[in-house]
Amino acid sequence: MTIDDAPREALRGGPRELLRWVATGAAVSRADLSRLSGLSPSTVSQRVEALINQGLLEETGAGRSRGGRRPRQLAVPTGGAVVGAIDLGAHHARVGTLDLSGRVVQGRTLPVRIEDGPEQVLGALLAEVAALAAAPGDATASGTASSATGSTTAGALRGIGIGIPGPVQHSTGRIVSPSRMPGWNGFDVAAFCAGRVDVPIIVDNDANLMALGAHRTAHSELDHAVYIKAGTGIGSGVISSGRLHRGAQGSAGDISHCRVVADPAPPCSCGNAGCLEAVASGAALVTALRDQGVPVSDLTGVIRLIDDGDRHATALARQAGRAIGEILAVVVNFFNPQVVAIGGRLADCEPLLASMRATLYERCLPLATQTLLIERVATGQDVGITGAAHLVIDHVVAAN
């Protein structure tokens, strides 16, 4: 059983949680870890020594004495080992390196053409990650690159996490029947990347990575959550008992092809009609506006029209919010999460968010929404690569 498969109660005081407490500043010594975990000092010391031997923790000196010997302080190394991350979208990719606490060292947004095929797209992105890992950090505020202090070398790369905007069989790293990725069906992403870099490769759906990144950053204290990624397409990731829930084959949370009542039902890229993605995604809004004679070329144009108060675009955004809310109402009633958060480019569309929230309150049982948080994902453009990095960090911890 891997650390991802273990129940939440079994993880208390486990290596991943000890690492997280130190990374977040909740603990700076073995004594702090013993107090937080409830484990004996000897057990904590054994686990800390193992993490130090793996290069995941380091001792940074002596702390303040509380009546006895000064405790040795612990920290996550920030100037050496990093993990690489790729968050691939339909038109852009966010790539970066992150330290072992999950903090971004460097990040860049690059244009991609998904129709160029997996070998060309992934090859270029892997080369970009290798270049970032070999370069010193360069802090900027523009979003083109972001960093912390310290420098890295390519040899310090501990693994690469990759998010794919389509269905992924997580156990194999293979893409299965993606609807908007011509030439990618059946492609073994993990094997292709492993043949080009000598580090572990972890592959997952991009919505899962957003869910993991958002949860670890903003809601790690909650056990049950649903995160929606609404951009060109629509997907969601599910956190159950504090961990990412993928289901039997990795398709848990894929709401994009759930049918929404619509007449006439627009055709979907999957071959069916009336799917949520065909009604409420960014691509659907572009198509619907064009059909109404509104000149718009992409999702950026749609959002600009909504911000300007265009009645056609605003009405479509409200309809999209209701459609998303209808599907999520089923999810909320069935799963009873503590938080529903929406991210992606459509998350900043206020008419859509307001309509989604109203539909959830209308369609859900009062008990299910009594304490439910409904909000935006607030962690910005790096949420996907943050989730990718945590996948790799969890893998490294579990493998040792």
Side-chain angles (χ1 to χ4, degrees):
M1 180 172 65
T2 69
I3 199 165
D4 272 340
D5 297 322
R8 186 174 179 84
E9 56 269 20
L11 295 177
R12 187 155 188 86
R16 187 178 77 185
E17 192 158 25
L18 297 183
L19 182 64
R20 181 174 64 83
W21 279 329
V22 175
T24 59
V28 296
S29 67
R30 290 169 173 80
D32 290 339
L33 292 173
S34 182
R35 173 177 52 82
L36 288 169
S37 66
L39 297 174
S40 68
S42 61
T43 299
V44 167
S45 184
Q46 288 176 348
R47 295 181 179 180
V48 167
E49 289 300 322
L51 290 169
I52 290 174
N53 291 337
Q54 296 164 31
L56 301 174
L57 284 180
E58 64 181 6
E59 293 179 331
T60 60
R64 180 179 299 177
S65 172
R66 296 183 180 178
R69 188 170 58 182
R70 295 171 69 190
R72 288 173 291 176
Q73 289 189 300
L74 300 170
V76 175
T78 58
V82 295
V83 294
I86 298 171
D87 183 18
L88 178 62
H91 305 292
H92 297 86
R94 184 73 175 166
V95 301
T97 53
L98 297 90
D99 66 24
L100 297 177
S101 70
R103 187 172 56 131
V104 176
V105 177
Q106 293 197 88
R108 290 181 186 152
T109 300
L110 304 169
V112 298
R113 284 170 43 91
I114 205 78
E115 61 271 23
D116 286 342
E119 292 92 347
Q120 182 172 332
V121 171
L122 291 172
L125 295 177
L126 287 172
E128 190 68 30
V129 169
L132 290 178
D138 178 22
T140 73
S142 67
T144 301
S146 55
S147 73
T149 58
S151 62
T152 63
T153 64
L157 192 62
R158 300 294 296 268
I160 300 175
I162 303 173
I164 300 294
V168 174
Q169 190 176 43
H170 176 71
S171 60
T172 64
R174 188 180 294 274
I175 300 175
V176 182
S177 300
S179 58
R180 295 183 182 274
M181 303 176 70
W184 291 69
N185 182 38
F187 189 77
D188 193 334
V189 176
F192 173 83
C193 295
R196 283 154 179 79
V197 290
D198 190 24
V199 294
I201 301 293
I202 314 295
V203 185
D204 211 330
N205 173 263
D206 63 341
N208 280 347
L209 296 191
M210 188 198 74
L212 186 60
H215 191 71
R216 294 281 178 88
T217 303
H219 292 299
S220 61
E221 78 284 0
L222 301 181
D223 288 334
H224 310 294
V226 175
Y227 296 90
I228 303 96
K229 185 172 185 178
T232 301
I234 292 181
S236 74
V238 178
I239 301 292
S240 178
S241 298
R243 60 188 178 89
L244 189 61
H245 177 69
R246 298 186 179 90
Q249 294 293 325
S251 67
D254 192 346
I255 60 174
S256 57
H257 300 291
C258 293
R259 183 177 174 83
V260 178
V261 176
D263 188 23
C268 181
S269 58
C270 72
N272 287 319
C275 297
L276 181 63
E277 185 167 295
V279 173
S281 68
L285 296 182
V286 171
T287 299
L289 282 170
R290 286 175 178 170
D291 290 345
Q292 293 181 17
V294 179
V296 61
S297 59
D298 54 23
L299 182 53
T300 298
V302 174
I303 294 173
R304 186 180 301 115
L305 287 171
I306 294 169
D307 289 342
D308 289 341
D310 180 88
R311 63 187 180 91
H312 299 288
T314 300
L316 286 171
R318 293 188 185 282
Q319 292 173 20
R322 281 194 294 272
I324 295 171
E326 287 176 4
I327 297 299
L328 288 179
V330 178
V331 174
V332 169
N333 282 330
F334 178 80
F335 178 56
N336 190 200
Q338 294 155 295
V339 59
V340 169
I342 182 168
R345 298 185 67 196
L346 285 176
D348 291 329
C349 178
E350 188 58 40
L352 183 148
L353 184 61
S355 186
M356 183 191 84
R357 181 181 282 114
T359 303
L360 279 171
Y361 283 122
E362 176 187 346
R363 298 295 181 91
C364 291
L365 296 171
L367 183 60
T369 57
Q370 193 172 59
T371 59
L372 179 67
L373 298 173
I374 306 172
E375 61 187 31
R376 293 184 179 91
V377 171
T379 44
Q381 65 180 344
D382 287 331
V383 64
I385 61 172
T386 299
H390 280 291
L391 275 186
V392 176
I393 294 167
D394 291 351
H395 173 82
V396 171
V397 172
N400 290 277

